């Protein structure tokens, strides 16, 4: 399996983190729950910023200036919001790598994986629109590059760009649109999260309190030590302006932001817009293909019933935690039994519980049948008693 070296590295890191955080609070065991902590941190700090932010060309920068330099604790909330957004993306990527490298992303987990890819795109869009709302010189440059990139999308680019810009020129409506997207995407995220959890039995979605306190402490310390700043005021942007195109769109230095603004950075370095767009597209498309790259031998591994051995006792049906087994009428098949266990391959998680429940060797997971597992146990016991 191509992920094996990564899996080993993940397990090695996991052991190291156990020494630091103890087994009970190892962040690796809450990889899915930690993004939820950041969602709450973003929601609370965002609400405070929202109370003072004014989304017009004339007031966006000055309202942020007020929040940063005059509002008591204003910059603390801004910094917390910014670092929580970085933390969100970092932990979402960690979560993604963890489920990927520990082989928990395909077959019946395809729904959390696909919705996860959509969630990744949503988190990215929320972060980018957040950057644009700042409307300092760098944000204006980022907005220009973003519109120019969007325009290059074949056939629909112009319409998408106009939608995001809320017209054909940058105006007050543009900032209102950024605001709409920055607040609308989280609503979409809630819906996608509901879908994300649909097929997961008992998802671990809340980190324990000590881990929450550690994460919150980390956010506060970073925000106090490295408070975020404002770039200079953008020039001449108090009225509707056309979008600059070509090299002129880069009016200030574009900092490299690995999490949210890397496409704009690449475009600012002179890389062709089409190549940048292809790179942006390659990330979600590549991730969607990943579950199908698995070796054939690893696919289709679901519990299979041997009809001749099945007595219809329903023990497997009662034990299956994924509701993957149904008991059906077996018709007149020459046996004295009335019912037969049938496995829904799409729901089966290969957990093996049904194999343990069945006293008749009537249900097996092909690559790990009862004989193979028993042989492994005997070999281990023999080695232990030597
Ligand atoms: C807003 C971002 C996300 C949040 C809040 C989130 C949250 C969660 C939670 C709480 C779980 C259950 C974890 C458990 O029970 O151990 C989970 C499972 C899962 N997530 Fe995410 N997730 C997010 C993004 C992603 C992304 C980007 C991917 C991959 C592209 C992904 C793929 C998966 C998969 C495959 C599972 C199933 C793992 C299993 O059954 O063990 N998620 N997610
Ligand atoms: S292996 Fe058996 S118990 Fe586990 S999900 Fe599949 S059918 Fe259900
Ligand atoms: S597969 Fe085994 S446990 Fe399930 S109904 Fe048949 S005999 Fe019973």
């Amino acid at each position: 399996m191509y992920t094996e070296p990564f899996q080993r590295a993940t397990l090695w890191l996991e052991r190291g983190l156990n020494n630091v955080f103890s087994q009970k609070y190892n962040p690796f065991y809450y990889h899915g729950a930690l993004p939820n902590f950041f969602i709450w941190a973003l929601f609370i700090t965002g609400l405070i910023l929202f109370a003072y932010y004014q989304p017009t060309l004339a007031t966006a920068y000055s309202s942020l200036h007020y929040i940063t330099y005059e509002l008591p604790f204003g910059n603390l909330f801004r910094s917390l919001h910014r670092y929580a957004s970085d933390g969100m993306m970092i932990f979402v990527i960690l979560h993604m790598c963890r489920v990927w490298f520990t082989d928990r992303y395909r077959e019946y987990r395809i729904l959390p994986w696909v919705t996860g890819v959509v969630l990744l795109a949503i988190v990215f869009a929320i972060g980018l629109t957040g950057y644009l709302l700042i409307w300092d010189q760098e944000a204006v440059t980022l907005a220009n590059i973003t519109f120019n990139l969007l325009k290059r999308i074949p056939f629909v680019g112009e319409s998408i760009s106009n939608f995001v810009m809320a017209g054909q020129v940058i105006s007050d409506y543009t900032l209102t649109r950024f605001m709409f997207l920055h607040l609308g995407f989280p609503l979409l995220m809630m819906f996608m999260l509901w879908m994300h959890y649909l097929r997961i039995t008992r998802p671990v979605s809340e980190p324990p309190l000590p881990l929450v306190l550690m994460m919150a402490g980390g956010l506060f310390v970073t925000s106090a030590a490295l408070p975020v700043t404002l770039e200079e005021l953008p020039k001449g942007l108090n009225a509707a302006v056309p979008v600059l195109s070509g090299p002129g769109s880069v009016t200030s230095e574009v900092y490299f932001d690995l999490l949210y603004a890397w496409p704009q950075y690449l475009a600012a370095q002179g890389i062709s817009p089409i190549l940048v767009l292809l790179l942006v597209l390659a990330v979600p498309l590549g991730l969607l293909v990943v579950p199908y790259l698995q070796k054939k031998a690893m696919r289709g591994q679901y519990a299979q019933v041997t009809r001749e051995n099945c007595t219809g006792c329903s023990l497997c049906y009662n034990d299956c935690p994924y509701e993957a087994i149904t008991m059906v009428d077996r018709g007149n098949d020459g046996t004295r039994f009335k019912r037969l266990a049938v496995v829904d391959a799409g729901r089966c998680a290969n957990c093996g519980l049904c194999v343990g429940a069945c006293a008749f060797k009537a249900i097996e997971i092909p690559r790990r049948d009862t004989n193979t597992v028993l042989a492994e146990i005997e070999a281990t016991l023999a080695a232990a008693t030597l």
Side-chain angles (χ1 to χ4, degrees), residues 110-133:
I110 197 77
L111 182 65
W113 179 262
V114 171
T115 50
V117 175
V118 179
L119 281 167
L120 186 70
I122 293 177
V123 172
F124 180 77
I126 298 173
L128 175 61
T129 46
Y131 264 124
L132 299 181
L133 281 174

Side-chain angles (χ1 to χ4, degrees), residues 303 320-322 324-325 343 347-354 365:
C320 175
Y322 297 96
I325 299 176
V343 177
R347 297 190 76 93
C348 176
N350 307 326
C351 69
L353 281 177
C354 54
I365 295 177

Side-chain angles (χ1 to χ4, degrees), residues 157-171:
E158 197 73 31
S159 314
I160 296 179
S161 173
N162 288 348
F163 172 74
V164 179
M165 207 189 314
Q168 289 175 347
V169 291
I170 293 177
S171 68

Side-chain angles (χ1 to χ4, degrees), residues 29-37 39 88 91-93 95-97 99-100 102 104-106 108-123 189 193 196-197 199-206 287 322:
Y29 301 148
Y30 299 95
H31 52 90
L34 282 171
N36 280 331
F37 159 76
I39 290 179
M88 175 78 187
F91 277 91
V92 166
I93 292 173
H95 167 56
M96 181 182 80
C97 292
V99 292
W100 182 358
T102 50
R104 296 166 62 165
Y105 65 98
R106 56 198 172 82
Y108 88 104
R109 288 178 171 114
I110 197 77
L111 182 65
W113 179 262
V114 171
T115 50
V117 175
V118 179
L119 281 167
L120 186 70
I122 293 177
V123 172
M189 180 160 82
L193 273 176
H196 197 60
Y197 297 150
R199 288 293 334 264
I200 305 173
T201 332
R202 293 181 287 279
V204 181
S205 56
E206 287 167 26
L287 288 172
Y322 297 96

Side-chain angles (χ1 to χ4, degrees), residues 305 309-317 327 341 354 357-360 362-363:
V305 178
N309 296 357
C310 179
T311 62
C313 69
S314 300
L315 286 176
C316 58
Y317 165 79
M327 299 304 300
C354 54
C358 181
F360 305 95
I363 191 162

